[in-house]
Amino acid sequence: MSFLTKIFGDNSSRRVKELEPLVAQINALEPSLQALTPEELKAKTDEFKERFGRGESLDDILPEAFAVVREAARRTRTERAFDVQLVCSIVLHQKGVAEMRTGEGKTLVATLPAYLNALTGKGVHIVTVNDYLSRIAVTWMGQVYSALGVTVAVINHESSFIYDERHVTKEEDAERDKEGYFKVVYDFLRPCSRKEAYMADITYGTNNEFGFDYLRDNLAYNPSMVMQRPHHYAIVDEVDSILIDEARTPLIIAGPTAESESLYAKFAKIADSLTPVTHYEVDEKQKAIQLTEAGIDSVEKTLGVANIYTEGGIKTVHHLETAVRAKALFLPERDYVVVPAQGGSASGGKDGKVVIVDSFTGRLQPGRRWSEGLHQAIEAKEGVKVEQESRTYASITFQNYFRLYEKLSGMTGTAVTSAEEFAKVYGLDVVAIPTNKPSARKDGNDQVFQTENGKFKAVARAVKQLQEKGQPVLIGTVSIDKNEKLSEYLTRDGVKHNVLNAKNHEKEGEIIADAGKKGSVTVATNMAGRGVDIKLGGMNADKDKYEEVKALGGLFVLGTERHEARRIDNQLRGRSGRQGDPGETQFFVSLEDDLMRVFGSDRIKNMMGKFGIAEDEAIESKLVSRSIEGAQEKIEGFHFDARKATLDYDDVLNFQRKLIYSRRRTILVGTDEEVERDLSELVAGNTELEGIITKKRGELGESFLPNLRQLLLQIIDMLWLEHLEAMDYLRSSVRLRAYGQRDPLIEYKREGLAMFKEMEASLLENVAKLLPNVGAVKVASAQSNLQEVREGAQEVGHKEVAPPLGGSTSKLVGRNDPCPCGSGLKYKKCGMIGAPEHKG
């Protein structure tokens, strides 16, 4: 702690102190609210809405509103928000990121600012990391909202629900409770339409679902298909995972193009024949490969070309480099697993599918695909069916999606180490919230071993001693293969244990919820079970069992490897020592771990070798700890720069996206006057086109504007699709301009703007070309197509692969694509709408 910080305090402590008077106001209201009947308490919501409508601000209403929610939670869930939870709730309302330790009650905290901001009638989104957490939060907290007359809903991947206490009887609810709280995820949840879920006062869902629905709304051809309201206020749970860890990968809705080429299999075979060092070099820090002269010569000999760069072209070089990357940098059981096409246990062969493993959560990401041909290259490497390549219809990064909200906030157990990124990218301040009870957790120094084998021997020995003592142990591993490897060591030493990784994630809640039982040992990927509380003694433990495990020292969390990000390590530590419980944490690392091998200090490696320390004996020193943290800081800085670069490029496209989507939304749901105004601005000064328009209006009468809307939407979608592809190619090509001492980003901005202006000019040209034909053939609705996108798309975490859009003349196609009408002509010649050759 610096000298000035000791005198004046840090930002978090100052913010917390500033909020204490507001907390005192909330507390002072408690006795009067406890005297209200349930009907009187519920009536407070209408009173607050009326006051807001008369001009009072949410800040004016905040003390009473928060006190009302706390009273409702006390009555319905026997949970009374602590003062520190009130502080956290205020930070969320004031557009901040709250760092709140595991077990401090973040699910309850979200109800207070959500209720307050829902009084505006504009809707509130609460964002979680998976469908399970969304449903269980609504099941639990729906009781609180319902008591106050506030509607709450949840959107999941293939379903939507609204909280309705009439939907499940109390007898059924009690029966489910006996099975375990983590299984009660549908109580009082009545199935509803997605639009109904979005029209609720408060809507829970995952970041993927909110983002994809935004993109789908901007592909709609019928106003009834628009789901979301304007983005008002969002509370993001596990905000570091969503806004930082997943920020580099965009959400994409795409449709397959032609069948994948045989080039993937061909180059997978070539890559398999190459050997590291001799034929290519691997840069693990940058996650890149570089072909050597010997490697290039070998490939040219195999392909029978003199120069792969001139004779093969960019496409051939791209396939080669991608195949080598797939071989050298992407490993099974760490980065992906091969599972049967219908799911189940892992297996290889032609029937299998390559499924990505999330590097932060350790969970499978079904259907999510790497871009730029990498996923196809891995499929070819593993010998499974190579899936079709795809064409992007719409895309957005999480960074720019969440910046759509007028007001954004978030909470997590680990945010302080990323405070700079939250401030620079999202304009959010991070505030560390004090714990309700002083922490009793003991964090031990890292134990460093020479080899991984020695480390695992020591882990198994230490865990066996803890199990014999009766102290529960949660072991964190960084990947599936390390997870299973450690399990073998424990089995060999006779340690009974549970294994949790992406292959058996269906049991995640049950396994993690019981990780606090006496003598239990749970081996899990580092982030498994995030969002599920670990209670000492087990999920349904009585007081005696709780006290017994507490006396043994609480939960012992043992990390078997340091993660690249300090936050992930802190999250693992945070599983222990909830609400003042005792607990212990310690990391066992080896010099063969990826982090130490690639980024570790040579001084440590030399020191251990010099003293001849046995492989299963550890050293422990501040030098080691500083070296590890220094390596982590370097990697965090590297990833921050990469995410910032992604955002810089996407900001260029985001400006264009907002203009296009705004114009499209006006055409789709705007009033006739708004459409007429936009049309006038579009054709202003073009007297010839203005006279076409006048003539066509006279011919069609009242049907002119509906036909015009459909025409404009089709033209905009066609041009935007082509523009997205052009911008993607541009981004790839400008990177090479750095060799000519030109800034790639500036080049991208300059040429991207010119291309956007060309696209807008093309819009006018297409209107002039196609307007005379409107009415000659009825403009087909794209509703059936978009229904396919909504219901039949294979959604994949960060990339949604839609089925081919067919069966309608409004298919999104490029000018040189075959017209979907079946005429056999290219789109630019057929024109889709009203051309003489059109057969549709």
Side-chain angles (χ1 to χ4, degrees), residues 18 134 163 178 191 229 300 327 361 475 544 692 701:
E18 289 169 1
S134 296
Y163 186 85
K178 291 179 183 177
R229 294 188 272 178
E300 288 174 342
K327 175 190 176 182
T361 67
I475 306 174
D544 290 341
I692 289 169

Side-chain angles (χ1 to χ4, degrees), residues 516-552:
K517 269 187 177 179
K518 180 183 177 181
S520 71
V521 174
T522 308
V523 184
T525 45
N526 279 354
M527 294 276 286
R530 189 172 182 178
V532 179
D533 207 8
I534 300 178
K535 296 181 180 179
L536 299 187
M539 57 182 174
N540 296 318
D542 56 24
K543 187 176 181 181
D544 290 341
K545 290 181 179 178
Y546 165 77
E547 292 293 343
E548 183 181 15
V549 174
K550 183 177 178 180
L552 291 169

Side-chain angles (χ1 to χ4, degrees), residues 463-471 494-496 519-521:
V463 172
K464 185 172 184 178
Q465 292 172 355
L466 290 167
Q467 189 175 56
E468 290 172 350
K469 172 186 170 185
Q471 187 171 6
V495 178
K496 186 179 179 181
S520 71
V521 174

Side-chain angles (χ1 to χ4, degrees), residues 201-314:
D201 296 314
I202 299 166
T203 307
Y204 285 72
T206 66
N207 47 321
N208 287 341
E209 295 304 317
F210 284 124
F212 278 131
D213 282 343
Y214 168 73
L215 294 178
R216 293 187 193 105
D217 281 356
N218 287 286
L219 287 173
Y221 274 71
N222 188 309
S224 66
M225 298 177 68
V226 177
M227 299 295 142
Q228 293 183 343
R229 294 188 272 178
H231 297 75
H232 170 228
Y233 175 52
I235 301 171
V236 184
D237 192 14
E238 309 295 5
V239 67
D240 55 325
S241 175
I242 292 172
L243 296 190
I244 293 181
D245 295 341
E246 300 191 38
R248 286 182 61 191
T249 311
L251 289 165
I252 297 172
I253 290 182
T257 56
E259 288 290 335
S260 298
E261 302 172 28
S262 58
L263 285 174
Y264 288 110
K266 179 179 181 179
F267 280 97
K269 189 174 181 180
I270 292 174
D272 191 50
S273 69
L274 303 179
T275 56
V277 181
T278 303
H279 295 124
Y280 60 88
E281 297 173 353
V282 179
D283 185 338
E284 293 189 80
K285 291 185 180 181
Q286 301 290 332
K287 288 187 168 57
I289 58 98
Q290 179 68 50
L291 290 165
T292 64
E293 288 294 329
I296 295 171
D297 290 343
S298 175
V299 173
E300 288 174 342
K301 184 177 180 181
T302 302
L303 294 175
V305 297
N307 189 319
I308 189 174
Y309 294 96
T310 57
E311 295 181 44
I314 294 176

